[in-house]
Amino acid sequence: MTKSPSPSLDDYRVPLFGDKKAGKFALADVDPSAKPFSTGSKDGDRDHLTEVGQKIDVQQERLHAQRHDRVLLVLQGMDTSGKDGTIRGVFHEVDPLGLRIVAFRAPTPIEASRDFLWRVHMQVPGAGELAVFNRSHYEDVLVPRVLGQIDAAECERRYAQIRDFERMLAETGTTIIKCMLHISKDEQKRRIQARIDDPTKHWKFDVSDLEARKQWDAYQLAYQDALAATSTDYAPWYVIPADSKTHRNVMVAELLLRLMDGLKLEFPPAKPELNGMKIE
Amino acid sequence: MTKSPSPSLDDYRVPLFGDKKAGKFALADVDPSAKPFSTGSKDGDRDHLTEVGQKIDVQQERLHAQRHDRVLLVLQGMDTSGKDGTIRGVFHEVDPLGLRIVAFRAPTPIEASRDFLWRVHMQVPGAGELAVFNRSHYEDVLVPRVLGQIDAAECERRYAQIRDFERMLAETGTTIIKCMLHISKDEQKRRIQARIDDPTKHWKFDVSDLEARKQWDAYQLAYQDALAATSTDYAPWYVIPADSKTHRNVMVAELLLRLMDGLKLEFPPAKPELNGMKIE
């Protein structure tokens, strides 16, 4: 997580669990207002986002066509960190075919009566699908930990269960990437205030959301521990500076594109039996 | 389905089941190459589609915000009629949040061992969702009928079961619109030939798809009967001339926008307890 003269996406990867560096990971070391990949202007960044989005679309069409690989993008972050906006921004150029957005809200009684991975497992991407989790099973090592509903031992068990679950997904053909949208407490203040000051935005805000803000430091620590315990080579975590919305979208899009490029996706092979065929 | 001097979307609505006109409905009376809502130029039509798409996006944001109404768009049509392309074209401007695309393929053994509505029921839109069915339960009154796997009596029973199912969905808060993408046999020939001539498009085509083309007239009749038997005030069918891709998208988008405008969607009301609140 050190800054190099020429920034790399990997500078924003959380050290892998088990690495000697993992213990030194501090969320506070990442500046939420950083824009390391900016072109220098907002317009330039927007154009760049469109370009990357179009490249993702090309890869997405191949993924959909070959119906073999599966891709999972997990988005987490504090309230107003921009999970919804990231989905809109990153996927604006992408064909909705084969794209599935899954929002996890407070568990229903049926969900709560099962293990915390049950509802998540049901929503994993199928062959040829790109699934985006808007919140995820990580809520279950954040909220209950901060509220004191689970103790440290249970939290560690859940980290291990998550690693096992994600490794199984990876081993069975799913490529996973996880992004924590990292905003500053000041930026959250501005965004919440903006929602309050605009009555048409009140639906995005509930007074109870302020409880999490009051526990800001506890949540930052819960995130830091969860990320360090579950960043793996098969499902790495990236911390995305998210005070700038456009730059945040650029970074998530770049990460997703790099991942999809790495899959070496190809259209299914031509069918020899169709060569020269003339339709009546 | 008669042509008026100033064309209306309703000219393309299939007469409602039970109407005296319903018996006279003939799919062949709809010209697949018609472009009644064209601006006169392809560029003009594209710009118009973008405008309508942006208006759908505004309505979609309200739908997502209020989390109450549900919208279901069903797309059916012969191979190459453009179901995938319609989804891409109509929803290009629409936030993927709250949009869910569901493709129904050949039933799995688990699906086939239940009634034909079972897998469909599982995929109906939830509160605040817009679901698009790419194929649907209508496959079950088309393919098995043409292949002689069900007799006329069973087909009639299924029509009635579909009407009952869709009425229940409508009564419980889902607004339904169904579009049959209507292409000519000649246009299908051109499109299949284009797929054959481009090896990167072979994945979109299987030699077995030609079986349905050989039964073109039987499928047209099966569509005609199914549409006439299941076009209702709570779930009307529209026949969309689909030889022109852009114009096809415009018509589906216009229908969807009209339907969503009709819902009088509003953002949830402001919360008085937030008035004047200052965030710390």
Side-chain angles (χ1 to χ4, degrees):
Chain A
M1 203 68 72
T2 54
K3 288 211 178 129
S4 55
S6 169
S8 150
L9 290 167
D10 290 322
D11 296 337
Y12 292 84
R13 197 184 70 178
V14 175
L16 302 187
F17 176 72
D19 245 45
K20 57 186 177 194
K21 284 187 205 157
K24 293 181 192 157
F25 167 65
L27 196 51
D29 288 348
V30 185
D31 175 5
S33 68
K35 300 202 275 182
F37 303 97
S38 176
T39 59
S41 79
K42 181 153 289 206
D43 280 351
D45 290 350
R46 283 199 182 121
D47 290 346
H48 181 51
L49 178 60
T50 300
E51 265 172 50
V52 177
Q54 287 166 347
K55 287 179 186 170
I56 292 173
D57 184 48
V58 170
Q59 295 293 13
Q60 157 75 4
E61 195 191 352
R62 291 180 184 170
L63 180 72
H64 181 65
Q66 48 117 283
R67 289 186 65 192
H68 175 73
D69 283 289
R70 308 113 202 250
V71 176
L72 174 60
L73 168 64
V74 174
L75 295 179
Q76 284 284 161
M78 298 291 286
D79 275 337
T80 76
S81 63
K83 299 178 287 294
D84 289 5
T86 299
I87 292 168
R88 185 180 178 93
V90 170
F91 295 103
H92 186 264
E93 301 301 322
V94 180
D95 193 344
L97 279 182
L99 175 65
R100 191 154 52 80
I101 313 297
V102 186
F104 291 98
R105 305 180 194 268
T108 65
I110 289 172
E111 291 169 348
S113 75
R114 270 88 179 175
D115 65 88
F116 73 102
L117 294 168
W118 181 74
R119 65 176 184 160
V120 176
H121 205 160
M122 278 197 286
Q123 298 285 0
V124 297
E129 254 191 344
L130 194 169
V132 182
F133 285 0
N134 186 348
R135 302 184 189 270
S136 67
H137 43 302
Y138 285 95
E139 292 293 316
D140 298 285
V141 288
L142 296 167
V143 183
R145 178 182 148 163
V146 170
L147 298 184
Q149 295 164 342
I150 59 172
D151 62 14
E154 172 62 12
C155 205
E156 290 294 334
R157 268 192 299 274
R158 290 190 183 186
Y159 294 155
Q161 289 159 351
I162 288 174
R163 287 192 300 266
D164 291 345
F165 173 65
E166 292 179 348
R167 195 186 61 247
M168 179 277 292
L169 291 181
E171 287 171 351
T172 53
T174 304
T175 306
I176 305 170
I177 189 172
K178 302 179 292 196
C179 292
M180 189 258 181
L181 309 182
H182 182 49
I183 55 167
S184 64
K185 197 174 177 187
D186 273 356
E187 178 64 18
Q188 190 193 51
K189 177 180 171 178
R190 278 188 288 275
R191 292 183 186 183
I192 292 179
Q193 192 65 57
R195 287 181 182 183
I196 287 172
D197 294 344
D198 178 355
T200 72
K201 296 277 162 60
H202 281 188
W203 64 274
K204 292 188 178 185
F205 183 73
D206 194 88
V207 174
S208 67
D209 294 346
L210 290 176
E211 294 307 311
R213 180 170 170 80
K214 284 180 193 155
Q215 307 249 42
W216 182 270
D217 292 342
Y219 272 103
Q220 295 292 302
L221 187 60
Y223 264 108
Q224 178 175 296
D225 288 351
L227 268 53
T230 59
S231 188
T232 56
D233 56 353
Y234 49 83
W237 270 110
Y238 291 83
V239 178
I240 310 294
D243 280 3
S244 158
K245 295 173 183 176
T246 305
H247 188 273
R248 167 201 76 202
N249 293 348
V250 167
M251 273 191 77
V252 174
E254 287 275 17
L255 279 166
L256 182 61
L257 177 61
R258 186 173 74 164
L259 176 154
M260 294 184 83
D261 281 345
L263 293 176
K264 308 283 180 212
L265 299 165
E266 297 285 355
F267 283 108
K271 298 175 179 172
E273 70 271 25
L274 299 184
N275 280 346
M277 182 184 280
K278 292 292 165 203
I279 299 301
E280 294 307 312
Chain B
M1 203 67 75
T2 52
K3 288 209 178 130
S4 54
S6 169
S8 150
L9 289 168
D10 290 321
D11 297 338
Y12 290 84
R13 197 183 72 179
V14 175
L16 302 186
F17 175 73
D19 245 44
K20 56 185 177 196
K21 284 188 203 156
K24 293 183 193 158
F25 167 65
L27 196 51
D29 287 348
V30 185
D31 176 5
S33 69
K35 299 201 277 183
F37 303 97
S38 177
T39 60
S41 80
K42 180 154 288 206
D43 280 351
D45 290 350
R46 283 198 182 121
D47 289 347
H48 181 52
L49 178 60
T50 300
E51 266 173 49
V52 177
Q54 287 166 346
K55 287 180 185 169
I56 292 173
D57 184 48
V58 170
Q59 296 293 10
Q60 157 75 5
E61 195 191 352
R62 291 181 186 170
L63 180 72
H64 180 65
Q66 47 117 285
R67 289 185 66 193
H68 175 74
D69 283 289
R70 308 113 201 249
V71 176
L72 173 60
L73 168 64
V74 174
L75 295 178
Q76 284 284 160
M78 298 291 287
D79 276 336
T80 76
S81 62
K83 299 178 287 295
D84 289 5
T86 298
I87 291 168
R88 185 180 178 91
V90 170
F91 295 103
H92 187 263
E93 301 301 322
V94 179
D95 193 342
L97 279 182
L99 175 66
R100 192 154 50 81
I101 312 296
V102 186
F104 291 99
R105 305 180 196 271
T108 66
I110 288 172
E111 291 169 348
S113 75
R114 269 89 178 175
D115 67 87
F116 73 101
L117 294 168
W118 181 74
R119 64 175 185 161
V120 176
H121 205 160
M122 278 197 286
Q123 299 287 359
V124 297
E129 255 192 343
L130 193 168
V132 182
F133 285 0
N134 187 347
R135 302 185 189 270
S136 66
H137 44 301
Y138 285 95
E139 292 293 316
D140 298 286
V141 287
L142 296 168
V143 183
R145 179 183 149 163
V146 170
L147 298 183
Q149 295 164 342
I150 59 173
D151 63 14
E154 172 62 11
C155 205
E156 291 293 334
R157 267 193 299 275
R158 290 189 183 186
Y159 293 155
Q161 289 158 350
I162 288 174
R163 287 192 301 265
D164 291 345
F165 173 66
E166 292 178 349
R167 194 185 60 248
M168 180 276 292
L169 291 181
E171 286 172 350
T172 53
T174 304
T175 306
I176 306 169
I177 188 172
K178 302 179 292 195
C179 293
M180 189 259 181
L181 309 182
H182 182 48
I183 55 167
S184 65
K185 197 175 178 188
D186 273 357
E187 178 64 17
Q188 190 191 51
K189 178 180 172 178
R190 277 188 288 275
R191 293 184 186 182
I192 292 179
Q193 192 65 56
R195 288 181 183 183
I196 288 172
D197 294 345
D198 178 355
T200 73
K201 297 277 162 62
H202 282 188
W203 64 274
K204 291 190 178 183
F205 183 73
D206 194 87
V207 174
S208 66
D209 294 346
L210 291 177
E211 294 307 310
R213 181 171 169 79
K214 285 179 193 155
Q215 307 249 42
W216 182 271
D217 292 341
Y219 272 103
Q220 295 292 304
L221 187 61
Y223 264 108
Q224 178 175 296
D225 289 351
L227 269 52
T230 60
S231 188
T232 56
D233 55 354
Y234 49 84
W237 271 110
Y238 291 83
V239 178
I240 310 294
D243 280 4
S244 159
K245 295 173 184 178
T246 305
H247 188 273
R248 166 201 76 201
N249 293 349
V250 167
M251 273 190 77
V252 174
E254 287 274 19
L255 278 166
L256 182 61
L257 177 61
R258 187 173 73 164
L259 177 154
M260 293 183 84
D261 281 346
L263 293 176
K264 308 283 178 210
L265 298 165
E266 298 285 353
F267 283 109
K271 298 175 180 174
E273 71 271 26
L274 298 184
N275 280 346
M277 182 185 280
K278 291 293 165 203
I279 299 301
E280 293 307 311

